Amino acid sequence: MLTIFFATVSLLYATVGQAGGTAFLALMAFSSFPSTQMRPTALLLNIVAATYSTWLFNRGAYVDWKKLKPLVIASVPTALIGGFTVLSPRVYNAITGVVLLIAAAVLLLGRAKKDVSDCDAPLLGTMATGAGVGFVSGVTGVGGGVFLAPILIALRWASPKQAAALSAPFIWVNSAIGLVGAVYVGQLPSPQTWQYALGALVGAMIGTTVGLRWLSEKTTRYVLVVILGAAAIQLIAFPTR
């Protein structure tokens, strides 16, 4: 049953160009996963979901690799540092809960307009954004796309379609680096992760290819806001062990 939930979450996130790290954490919070398993499990699922999305966006020539390069270069070292960082269960729950609340707020308040043109992104600002989002990704297990895309769109550094295309490979790289750090310090994914990964892959495939035809972005936003907000409250008020 949990695998079906992971697949559903992956499908919903894929409709808006994301891997689903925040919602994966939400599901694990509801299921009372040990905090030491939540981060590596979410990072691994991010990799699986983002792999398909990256392939699909690249095949359609949507990825602007020139814009992606400084974001990734700045995020790799901070994602690794974040992965090496081990927090106590209480601190991890609190920080991850806050991150989930911020993610919910970003989805709820985001009102990107498709007709807004993008402008050149300053190198310093781009690298600072990549570094900050990369660290959050490594520490918590959030892929970072749910923060990166709204930032790029709000600052007009990328159009909505470009932001979605940039998010997928960004999530993949940072999740992979963060997972290396997490495993190095002894945190391992759940033994059932292979089942969840299969569900996440199927969900990503369906969501990326046909999800947008069936679900409006507005509906998807509100569904995810409810999931993230409820999980954040659970993590903060009723922490996992």
Side-chain angles (χ1 to χ4, degrees):
M1 182 60 69
L2 193 55
T3 300
I4 295 176
F5 288 144
F6 277 114
T8 302
V9 161
S10 181
L11 187 155
L12 289 172
Y13 262 73
T15 64
V16 290
Q18 303 297 324
T22 48
F24 293 150
L25 288 169
L27 285 175
M28 286 184 277
F30 283 130
S31 302
S32 297
F33 273 52
S35 60
T36 55
Q37 289 184 3
M38 288 176 63
R39 177 171 64 159
T41 300
L43 288 170
L44 186 55
L45 295 179
N46 287 342
I47 294 171
V48 172
T51 295
Y52 179 78
S53 297
T54 298
W55 172 77
L56 193 63
F57 281 127
N58 185 57
R59 188 182 67 170
Y62 294 122
V63 181
D64 188 334
W65 295 102
K66 184 177 180 180
K67 284 187 176 182
L68 179 66
K69 185 177 179 180
L71 288 167
V72 170
I73 290 176
S75 68
V76 165
T78 57
L80 186 60
I81 293 173
F84 285 148
T85 303
V86 179
L87 304 175
S88 68
R90 178 176 296 181
V91 174
Y92 175 82
N93 288 330
I95 292 179
T96 304
V98 170
V99 169
L100 291 175
L101 282 176
I102 295 174
V106 169
L107 288 170
L108 181 63
L109 301 177
R111 292 291 187 272
K113 296 182 179 179
K114 295 183 178 180
D115 58 346
V116 175
S117 60
D118 61 308
C119 57
D120 292 334
L123 181 61
L124 183 59
T126 301
M127 296 193 73
T129 298
V133 175
F135 182 74
V136 173
S137 173
V139 168
T140 65
V142 173
V146 73
F147 299 117
L148 179 66
I151 291 174
L152 294 178
I153 295 170
L155 296 177
R156 297 178 59 191
W157 290 351
S159 65
K161 180 178 290 186
Q162 287 177 329
L166 290 171
S167 293
F170 181 87
I171 291 169
W172 192 96
V173 171
N174 284 277
S175 295
I177 295 298
L179 181 60
V180 169
V183 171
Y184 181 81
V185 297
Q187 293 186 341
L188 299 176
S190 166
Q192 288 76 40
T193 300
W194 69 271
Q195 299 176 14
Y196 310 146
L198 180 60
L201 177 59
V202 172
M205 293 175 66
I206 296 174
T208 305
T209 54
V210 301
L212 284 174
R213 300 178 185 177
W214 296 342
L215 295 175
S216 68
E217 181 176 342
K218 182 178 180 180
T219 300
T220 303
R221 281 179 185 274
Y222 289 146
V223 170
L224 293 175
V225 164
V226 172
I227 295 174
L228 296 176
I233 293 173
Q234 160 139 350
L235 274 174
I236 295 172
F238 308 100
T240 58
R241 58 185 181 277

